[in-house]
Amino acid sequence: MTSRSIIINPVTRVEGHGKIEIFLNDIGDVDKAYFQVPELRGFEKFCEGRAAEEMPILTSRICGVCPTAHHIASSKALDALYRVDPTSAAKKIRELMYTAFLMEDHALHFFFLGGPDFIVGTQAPASQRNILGVIAKVGKETAGKVIRLRKECRKIMETIGGTAIHPVFGLPGGVSKPLTEDDRKKIKEVAKYGVEFYRFALKIFDDVVLKNKEYVDLIAGDIYKIKTYYMGMVDEENKVSFYDGQIRVVDPDGKEYAKFKPEDYLHHIAEHVEPWTYMKFTYLKNIGWKGFIDGKDSGIYRVAPLARLNVSEGMTTTLAQIEYERMYDTLGAKPLHNTLAFHWARLIEGLYAAERMTELADDPELTDPNIRNLPKEAPSEGIGAIEAPRGTLIHHYKADEKGLIRDVNLIVSTQNNAAAICMSIEKAASNFIKGGNVSEGLLNMVEIAFRAYDPCLGCATHSFPGDMPMLIKIYDKNRNLIQEIGRDY
Amino acid sequence: MNNFEPRIVAFLCSWCSYAGADKAGSSRKTYPQNINIIRVMCSGRVDPQFVLEAFKEGADGVLILGCHPGDCHYKEGNYNILRRYHFLKKVLMELGIEEGRFKLDWVSSTEDDKFVTIVSEMVKNVKSLGPLRNEALI
Amino acid sequence: MIKPKVAFCWEASCGGCEEAVLDLNEDILKVIEAVDIVFWPIALDFKYADIENMNDNEIDVSFISGAIRLNEQEETVRLLRKKSKLIIAFGSCAHLGGIPALANFWDRESILKKVYREAPSVINPEGKEPQVKTKTASGELELPEFYDTVKALNQVIDVDYYLPGCPPSPDLIMQTITAILENNLPPKGSVIGPAKTLCENCSRKDSKPDIMTLKEIKRPHEVIIDPEKCFLAQGLICLGPATRSGCGERCIKANMPCRGCFGPTDNVIDQGSKFLSALASIVDFNDEEEIKKVVDSVADMTGTFYRFTLASSLIKRKRRLK
Ligand code: SF4
Ligand code: SF4
Ligand code: SF4
Ligand code: FES
């Protein structure tokens, strides 16, 4: 056997770092690509014994990029655990916090991470495929705009949650602090700016991506296409919903496959373990784990922006709805299986978040001081779900009568996409490695596949200016290094 | 059956318990030699960090003895340690250090017999619990 | 002037410390101008070989966030130590072990078992668990080894400075960077931040009665929290008396009590027991039974008092009872 292996290490990091290993077969084509997550911290275990009400504070430390998602999913799990419904104002404050988070997080991805691939160019050197390259291409004010959006959103998050990183405001039955009229004024301004910002971002997407045939072909083409199921949260009218709703699954043809309450997730979602990664792979339980393959017979599904749009019948806000329709009209299918359309969907969601923030800011109830319902019942079991920027997130707790946690289960957003990420990488790699020849674009093209998902493993790539260095090593069957493709930056 | 000789650190209030231990010594009452006595001005002077430090440095048990309630030379010192003791005991138990390894009691300057009984029982208890350090603490 | 070479690197962390750097907002541009960043967080092990090829002490300052949980992390920080003039433990995880060190209540085996075999959504009839080495039909794959016990950075390498907080506040980050640039750092081993306790700076400290007494301990979800009154005076556990100030009272401002992420003040080793003493001294009972009742009403005492510091406190992990 003349197997060769290519190691791309690290692609990026989860809390440690991700690794991609590509093995070639006898004729030098890709045999198998492994996407490894070499990190584990074990929250599911070490939260046992903790006081239940502390869970939102503890679990936000799962990820410093999407702490707000964990914090709120956890608060919702506590509502259920104590069987206490938050006051209406509290729900609105939580959701408002969430829109601020979504707005800044999606913007960050587009301008710092995934976007540069397009804006600067897929073949541009990595040293330019970052925010600095974006600035060079679309002008300096753009950077100012992104920094401003991030700053303003995070100020709102600080007001509500104490800090933007690791907020502390969530309690079973409500939130810790009401909002004032002054806060509302500021929020309204930020929301208005957010709408402008996302229209501007979508315009950039139009001008730079959609008017470029090469990119459109890339988005629509086969290299970045896998046909999977999709999962996301929807409201009663099957419109995209982030804070609350039912979880809907559509099959690769777009037909509803399942729709269930988050409490019932164990009937629908299962996790598969592989010995070569610390990440578990989720799949549709009733179809089963069939390995890393796509199609209707495989239980692999995808989550996050494109998946949410695929499972829904539209957006609840006007401008986002227009963009939603435009995306499906332009790309001409639903569900869209084109991995790169995740970028477009992300911007549409950003626009939605800004519009939704406007609605909430106009809601008289937002400043209602009645922000807590105190739990009256003894705690037992609770499940809370939310749509994190990177997909469906579920927290599931059991507690004893003293309110000490006895059991924790977490379905974390990126996990849902992990199997699909493996496949997308393998597919992109297969296209660029033939007969043992590794073509120039491999690095870029594998990166692009990976980045479209904005995997939370990419946390670290949210660092300024968001380079994603890679190294490909090619070994002969004895693991002697015979070729090395690095990158200057 | 068990050759293990536990090491016990005892913090003794100088006004009463230490005097009690002294009396036991001078009246030639025998008690196990496993205890290392540290004399403190008042049981209330024992900082929880001292106790943790003792365990960290290899003690298999820690004993604190003070004046009887109401008799503390500094009035409140022994109530203070009583409260701390119960908090600290809970922390120790949550960290897997058994109840029997950490004791608080009152011994006056005349209670040499009581001193001997407390020490002997503590040593016996800790002996049956075994060494603390079996790869437990780093 | 030659710009100082700076590296950022993270170990068992959440990435929040890196986000905190981004939260410098416009100031980040000043930082970028003033220093030469030789590694981005994620660039690090990609350039592992490059670091190896560097001269010893070639990097001026390495900021390391995250606790030490895997063998690979230990190797990386050892290498960085060799190549760096200064090592700064950045954030609670590196400084004190942080939240990941709550895993020290358990051990390797129980954690792997829970995550990969017992979790209710896992279907794993063969009982597979991640392995350090896995042979596949195509070739062998490797994973770093998962340790039994989480360690703070200074339990693995020598650390020059500590930047406290989960995450550190932007003010302190800027202050540190300025001190580096102006060559104005405090003595080696210092924790960068005020020497006072949080209580001393707290906006609620005036509502703290001179002689504080406490008869009952409550949990945050059980009561409507007064937005102005000292938490301890309301019967809520607040680690302010045993915590270093410098965070800007973030939690307090959100009407939630402090959980101690800035760690202990100078000269205190064991933040948890320091708080325990402070709390015990205000319990308003002398009767043993009453005291016990109060003690029992504290939920998860160790996990709360040692929330961020278990790995670096006097007793670093739960003992394994055989
Ligand atoms: S200190 Fe806090 S913010 Fe920093 S890595 Fe650790 S958990 Fe995340
Ligand atoms: S105990 Fe907490 S609320 Fe009270 S003064 Fe100290 S920090 Fe402030
Ligand atoms: S109030 Fe306490 S827990 Fe909150 S940020 Fe400040 S030091 Fe950390
Ligand atoms: S003086 Fe003996 S206990 Fe205080």
Side-chain angles (χ1 to χ4, degrees):
Chain A
M1 192 180 80
T2 53
S3 89
R4 291 167 136 197
S5 97
I6 298 178
I7 301 177
I8 303 179
N9 182 21
V11 177
T12 176
R13 300 186 152 210
V14 197
E15 295 85 31
H17 35 263
K19 282 203 284 185
I20 294 176
E21 306 227 358
I22 302 169
F23 292 96
L24 306 188
N25 61 16
D26 291 350
I27 56 165
D29 290 352
V30 172
D31 172 25
K32 189 107 192 73
Y34 290 94
F35 163 57
Q36 290 180 282
V37 175
E39 221 265 358
L40 168 75
R41 278 171 300 155
F43 276 82
E44 289 98 326
K45 187 68 191 176
F46 72 67
C47 287
E48 279 177 27
R50 309 285 75 80
E53 70 274 16
E54 300 285 323
M55 289 301 280
I57 293 172
L58 292 167
T59 54
S60 88
R61 268 77 183 188
I62 291 171
C63 174
V65 176
C66 41
T68 313
H70 285 285
H71 189 76
I72 295 181
S74 181
S75 305
K76 289 183 71 185
L78 292 185
D79 298 339
L81 187 90
Y82 282 98
R83 276 164 283 175
V84 55
D85 197 30
T87 65
S88 181
K91 284 184 193 163
K92 283 172 184 160
I93 292 172
R94 287 185 190 173
E95 195 186 343
L96 183 95
M97 174 82 163
Y98 206 68
T99 56
F101 162 60
L102 204 61
M103 259 162 75
E104 62 103 350
D105 194 78
H106 274 5
L108 199 68
H109 183 271
F110 185 70
F111 286 97
F112 283 60
L113 270 173
D117 287 338
F118 290 108
I119 302 173
V120 185
T122 54
Q123 299 303 321
S127 58
Q128 288 165 27
R129 283 191 292 130
N130 55 41
I131 183 74
L132 299 176
V134 173
I135 296 168
K137 181 95 179 215
V138 293
K140 206 169 178 178
E141 339 63 275
T142 310
K145 282 187 179 156
V146 183
I147 291 182
R148 177 173 159 206
L149 183 83
R150 181 180 159 92
K151 190 169 147 187
E152 304 273 343
C153 284
R154 288 176 89 86
K155 253 197 240 150
I156 295 179
M157 292 162 76
E158 265 167 40
T159 306
I160 300 174
T163 64
I165 307 167
H166 307 321
V168 295
F169 72 116
L171 284 163
V175 295
S176 62
K177 204 182 92 178
L179 285 174
T180 64
E181 275 307 321
D182 245 18
D183 298 334
R184 181 208 297 281
K185 269 190 220 126
K186 283 179 206 134
I187 292 164
K188 273 182 93 154
E189 278 165 34
V190 177
K192 191 164 157 252
Y193 175 65
V195 174
E196 265 169 48
F197 177 90
Y198 272 100
R199 297 184 82 171
F200 159 79
L202 278 154
K203 174 115 188 5
I204 293 184
F205 191 79
D206 261 10
D207 292 347
V208 180
V209 182
L210 296 180
K211 292 197 178 131
N212 182 330
K213 185 166 179 316
E214 185 207 334
Y215 292 161
V216 175
D217 290 348
L218 205 61
I219 294 175
D222 202 46
I223 305 173
Y224 296 109
K225 201 185 255 182
I226 53 173
K227 292 187 175 159
T228 60
Y229 285 79
Y230 295 94
M231 180 186 285
M233 206 184 260
V234 292
D235 67 9
E236 300 87 40
E237 281 154 21
N238 284 343
K239 300 269 170 70
V240 171
S241 175
F242 286 87
Y243 178 76
D244 220 351
Q246 295 209 50
I247 295 173
R248 189 171 194 232
V249 182
V250 299
D251 72 13
D253 300 326
K255 264 211 250 51
E256 181 175 296
Y257 168 76
K259 191 170 166 183
F260 57 91
K261 293 201 186 93
E263 304 83 286
D264 295 329
Y265 82 102
L266 282 175
H267 297 297
H268 299 274
I269 299 173
E271 294 176 291
H272 171 78
V273 178
E274 287 285 348
W276 45 267
T277 177
Y278 283 116
M279 168 86 82
K280 295 182 280 187
F281 299 95
T282 53
Y283 60 94
L284 297 169
K285 190 176 184 178
N286 298 323
I287 298 179
W289 176 259
K290 305 283 167 64
F292 295 90
I293 44 170
D294 65 352
K296 217 172 181 167
D297 298 330
S298 164
I300 291 176
Y301 61 89
R302 292 194 276 178
V303 297
L306 184 64
R308 282 190 285 257
L309 269 46
N310 276 341
V311 301
S312 74
E313 281 158 22
M315 315 296 290
T316 60
T317 59
T318 329
L319 297 174
Q321 174 63 21
I322 295 172
E323 290 294 331
Y324 176 97
E325 286 166 18
R326 196 164 66 96
M327 180 179 86
Y328 285 104
D329 286 347
T330 309
L331 296 175
K334 195 175 168 208
L336 281 169
H337 296 297
N338 318 70
T339 305
L340 298 186
F342 268 92
H343 294 291
W344 197 346
R346 197 167 283 121
L347 291 178
I348 297 171
E349 287 189 344
L351 183 58
Y352 160 82
E355 287 183 284
R356 179 72 188 130
M357 187 189 269
T358 313
E359 288 173 5
L360 287 163
D362 283 333
D363 192 321
E365 228 175 20
L366 189 68
T367 49
D368 183 346
N370 181 18
I371 45 147
R372 292 272 306 278
N373 279 327
L374 292 185
K376 295 208 176 62
E377 295 193 45
S380 57
E381 185 168 359
I383 294 169
I386 196 162
E387 278 296 325
R390 294 157 195 83
T392 314
L393 169 65
I394 302 170
H395 283 218
H396 179 183
Y397 312 147
K398 287 182 194 154
D400 63 16
E401 70 292 346
K402 284 188 177 157
L404 295 180
I405 294 290
R406 288 293 162 238
D407 196 6
V408 176
N409 196 35
L410 304 165
I411 302 288
V412 184
S413 315
T414 298
Q415 235 190 307
N416 298 300
N417 274 337
I421 292 173
C422 288
M423 289 160 53
S424 292
I425 287 167
E426 187 167 291
K427 195 157 182 188
S430 303
N431 255 281
F432 293 91
I433 305 173
K434 290 271 189 255
N437 291 316
V438 179
S439 70
E440 274 297 314
L442 173 75
L443 238 70
N444 289 358
M445 294 325 219
V446 170
E447 259 179 17
I448 286 167
F450 184 77
R451 278 185 182 178
Y453 292 96
D454 185 16
C456 199
L457 329 151
C459 283
T461 52
H462 284 246
S463 308
F464 191 90
D467 258 334
M468 179 137 70
M470 281 204 202
L471 184 66
I472 295 190
K473 288 184 176 178
I474 303 181
Y475 296 89
D476 66 14
K477 64 176 176 187
N478 299 319
R479 287 224 160 201
N480 296 317
L481 189 64
I482 53 168
Q483 195 187 346
E484 195 170 29
I485 311 170
R487 164 171 285 148
D488 287 343
Y489 70 98
Chain B
M1 109 224 176
N2 164 349
N3 298 327
F4 163 60
E5 285 301 337
R7 290 203 287 170
I8 289 167
V9 172
F11 295 97
L12 268 52
C13 152
S14 133
W15 294 94
C16 43
S17 316
Y18 190 82
D22 216 28
K23 185 158 180 268
S26 54
S27 52
R28 299 181 190 283
K29 299 213 163 104
T30 52
Y31 60 89
Q33 293 308 299
N34 309 56
I35 64 165
N36 305 315
I37 293 176
I38 298 172
R39 181 173 169 177
V40 289
M41 286 313 288
C42 169
S43 64
R45 180 66 188 84
V46 179
D47 186 309
Q49 285 198 103
F50 299 173
V51 177
L52 297 171
E53 193 85 49
F55 280 121
K56 181 176 175 250
E57 294 304 324
D60 300 296
V62 175
L63 176 66
I64 303 171
L65 298 177
C67 312
H68 281 269
D71 292 348
C72 170
H73 197 78
Y74 307 93
K75 296 216 166 61
E76 283 284 319
N78 48 6
Y79 287 120
N80 243 322
I81 192 67
L82 178 67
R83 292 192 288 261
R84 268 185 242 144
Y85 168 73
H86 284 288
F87 278 91
L88 187 56
K89 191 165 75 174
K90 184 157 180 204
V91 165
L92 289 172
M93 284 168 66
E94 287 178 354
L95 290 170
I97 296 175
E98 303 92 333
E99 200 173 356
R101 295 187 190 272
F102 183 40
K103 283 272 166 232
L104 170 72
D105 217 327
W106 317 126
V107 170
S108 76
S109 54
T110 55
E111 292 176 318
D112 50 338
D113 287 334
K114 187 173 179 194
F115 172 78
V116 172
T117 316
I118 290 171
V119 169
S120 310
E121 269 190 13
M122 174 109 188
V123 170
K124 198 174 115 214
N125 273 338
V126 175
K127 217 168 170 167
S128 68
L129 287 169
L132 178 70
R133 280 186 77 80
N134 56 6
E135 55 92 51
L137 313 169
I138 327 139
Chain C
M1 201 190 91
I2 304 168
K3 291 181 182 180
K5 285 187 182 165
V6 173
F8 285 96
C9 157
W10 70 0
E11 305 311 327
S13 87
C14 76
C17 281
E18 320 286 329
E19 285 271 316
V21 177
L22 271 186
D23 283 342
L24 295 175
N25 297 316
E26 296 87 353
D27 278 349
I28 196 165
L29 299 168
K30 289 185 214 153
V31 176
I32 302 252
E33 263 162 41
V35 303
D36 178 9
I37 301 185
V38 287
F39 302 116
W40 297 117
I42 66 149
L44 198 79
D45 21 15
F46 153 58
K47 294 201 131 192
Y48 197 84
D50 299 348
I51 311 173
E52 267 174 344
N53 292 334
M54 286 178 108
N55 297 324
D56 286 2
N57 292 334
E58 195 174 323
I59 304 169
D60 291 284
V61 192
S62 287
F63 289 87
I64 301 178
S65 64
I68 306 299
R69 157 96 279 178
L70 305 163
N71 63 344
E72 199 177 78
Q73 292 162 343
E74 180 159 351
E75 285 158 26
T76 308
V77 300
R78 282 188 196 285
L79 182 67
L80 266 179
R81 173 70 273 183
K82 228 171 117 207
K83 305 296 177 184
S84 314
K85 287 197 195 90
L86 292 179
I87 295 280
I88 301 189
F90 187 75
S92 310
C93 295
H95 175 202
L96 303 156
I99 300 269
L102 289 173
N104 289 358
F105 279 110
W106 307 95
D107 56 14
R108 178 181 185 278
E109 204 177 301
S110 59
I111 293 170
L112 294 182
K113 190 166 155 214
K114 169 71 199 257
V115 175
Y116 299 104
R117 291 194 273 155
E118 292 173 347
S121 42
V122 162
I123 297 183
N124 183 7
E126 297 152 56
K128 282 184 274 187
E129 277 180 10
Q131 303 294 323
V132 174
K133 282 188 192 328
T134 306
K135 283 205 173 26
T136 71
S138 320
E140 194 173 70
L141 294 161
E142 282 181 36
L143 285 175
E145 183 192 334
F146 188 82
Y147 285 160
D148 232 5
T149 301
V150 176
K151 293 178 191 164
L153 190 60
N154 67 2
Q155 291 169 299
V156 175
I157 58 169
D158 189 36
V159 172
D160 298 290
Y161 296 101
Y162 303 86
L163 203 47
C166 178
S169 51
D171 282 358
L172 281 187
I173 299 175
M174 257 335 259
Q175 201 180 309
T176 310
I177 293 173
T178 313
I180 294 170
L181 292 172
E182 291 171 358
N183 207 355
N184 189 20
L185 281 160
K188 181 180 148 91
S190 298
V191 178
I192 296 172
K196 294 181 181 161
T197 64
L198 190 69
C199 284
E200 289 171 85
N201 272 346
C202 177
S203 54
R204 302 190 185 201
K205 71 165 185 273
D206 294 339
S207 64
K208 202 171 163 181
D210 287 340
I211 299 166
M212 185 127 72
T213 54
L214 189 143
K215 284 194 154 51
E216 198 187 352
I217 288 174
K218 298 183 194 112
R219 292 163 66 176
H221 67 289
E222 294 170 342
V223 289
I224 297 291
I225 304 172
D226 185 311
E228 262 138 41
K229 200 165 156 199
C230 164
F231 289 103
L232 273 176
Q234 300 183 52
L236 292 159
I237 300 287
C238 176
L239 263 71
T243 301
R244 183 186 296 274
S245 72
C247 68
E249 296 88 57
R250 301 189 285 216
C251 304
I252 315 282
K253 281 183 187 151
N255 201 25
M256 287 291 275
C258 172
R259 288 293 175 255
C261 78
F262 265 58
T265 47
D266 292 340
N267 306 322
V268 175
I269 306 169
D270 200 274
Q271 185 186 17
S273 71
K274 197 74 201 165
F275 179 72
L276 180 156
S277 292
L279 184 65
S281 68
I282 60 169
V283 169
D284 196 21
F285 291 114
N286 286 341
D287 176 74
E288 195 157 3
E289 288 315 307
E290 299 279 14
I291 294 171
K292 279 190 192 160
K293 254 194 242 159
V294 177
V295 167
D296 280 339
S297 68
V298 182
D300 182 29
M301 192 182 288
T302 313
T304 307
F305 297 1
Y306 291 88
R307 175 66 53 80
F308 293 89
T309 58
L310 190 56
S312 59
S313 57
L314 285 164
I315 297 186
K316 297 174 172 49
R317 61 160 298 126
K318 182 172 176 168
R319 183 170 169 246
R320 270 167 296 237
L321 296 167
K322 290 253 164 84

